[in-house]
Amino acid sequence: MKPLKVLMLALLAALLGLAAGIFIAGPGILLRTEIGQALFERLVPPKYPAPGGAVAIGDTVRAFTVTDFGGSPRTLPTPGSWQVINYWASWCGPCRLEMPWLDALHAENQGRFEVIGIALEAPDAAATLLTDIPVRFTQHHEPPGATDSSVHLGNGWGVLPFTVLIDPQGRLVKRHIGVFAGEAQLRQWLQDGMR
């Protein structure tokens, strides 16, 4: 067999394998890489287009308000500090997987950044996750849907978990759609963003 044919067959087999993986496991496989994140954003139409457009990487984030579990409002982002904002819901298995990783980051951050959780569901439902997996970082909630703050930050697909990094000047530095491949990838994502 000619080398070009072998190469073409190998490429076709790889594409079929990727398609089968996506069909069986969903798009999460793609979302575990930077290339997959970029492809997902370009090829999958958003379910909730942000009114006025989503914030682009490098843009200043318009202030938004969420509510803590005691009923007090909080305006984000907070000027002057790095913030990792993670959107989650109690019914989301991958969100449950990420919570201990985020809590470990929070415990080790030594004031370099703040980790903030935002549940996109009713507070009573969200509290079940916080009972099952207690965390030390601040938690808030807001109703999910076409106008929630995650959509404004670029989550037009409503995928959870969804994580963003905002710099001390209030600019969106990075976003990650879906679950990280592991705690090491989350740490590398944060380190790359804070350079």
Side-chain angles (χ1 to χ4, degrees):
M1 201 180 276
K2 294 184 179 181
L4 184 57
K5 281 188 178 181
V6 171
L7 181 62
M8 294 302 288
L9 284 174
L11 182 58
L12 179 61
L15 289 174
L16 287 174
L18 178 61
I22 292 169
F23 178 75
I24 292 167
I29 291 171
L30 279 179
L31 296 176
R32 293 181 181 178
T33 66
E34 293 290 329
I35 293 170
Q37 291 273 318
L39 285 173
F40 183 83
E41 286 190 47
R42 290 178 196 250
L43 299 176
V44 179
K47 179 179 174 181
Y48 307 118
V55 177
I57 300 296
D59 287 351
T60 300
V61 176
R62 280 192 327 260
F64 60 92
T65 302
V66 292
T67 306
D68 72 16
F69 282 80
S72 299
R74 178 173 180 188
T75 301
L76 294 170
T78 304
S81 68
W82 286 93
Q83 295 181 310
V84 176
I85 301 176
N86 176 260
Y87 291 88
W88 59 273
S90 62
W91 49 262
C92 168
C95 299
R96 290 175 170 269
L97 183 66
E98 279 188 352
M99 280 294 186
W101 306 340
L102 291 160
D103 195 49
L105 276 178
H106 166 75
E108 298 165 11
N109 81 53
Q110 300 173 355
R112 294 183 342 230
F113 57 89
E114 180 182 11
V115 179
I116 300 163
I118 300 177
L120 293 180
E121 65 182 336
D124 292 345
T128 61
L129 182 141
L130 298 175
T131 300
D132 294 346
I133 306 170
V135 294
R136 294 163 284 191
F137 58 97
T138 61
Q139 296 293 328
H140 303 81
H141 61 86
E142 71 175 311
T147 60
D148 70 49
S149 60
S150 81
V151 173
H152 170 66
L153 293 170
N155 187 19
W157 304 272
V159 174
L160 294 177
F162 176 72
T163 308
V164 297
L165 176 63
I166 299 174
D167 74 10
Q169 291 74 43
R171 295 179 300 232
L172 180 64
V173 176
K174 291 187 81 131
R175 66 177 145 231
H176 187 86
I177 303 164
V179 67
F180 287 92
E183 186 174 349
Q185 185 189 28
L186 169 60
R187 289 175 180 278
Q188 187 63 55
W189 178 86
L190 178 61
Q191 183 180 351
D192 292 347
M194 292 180 68
R195 286 186 188 172

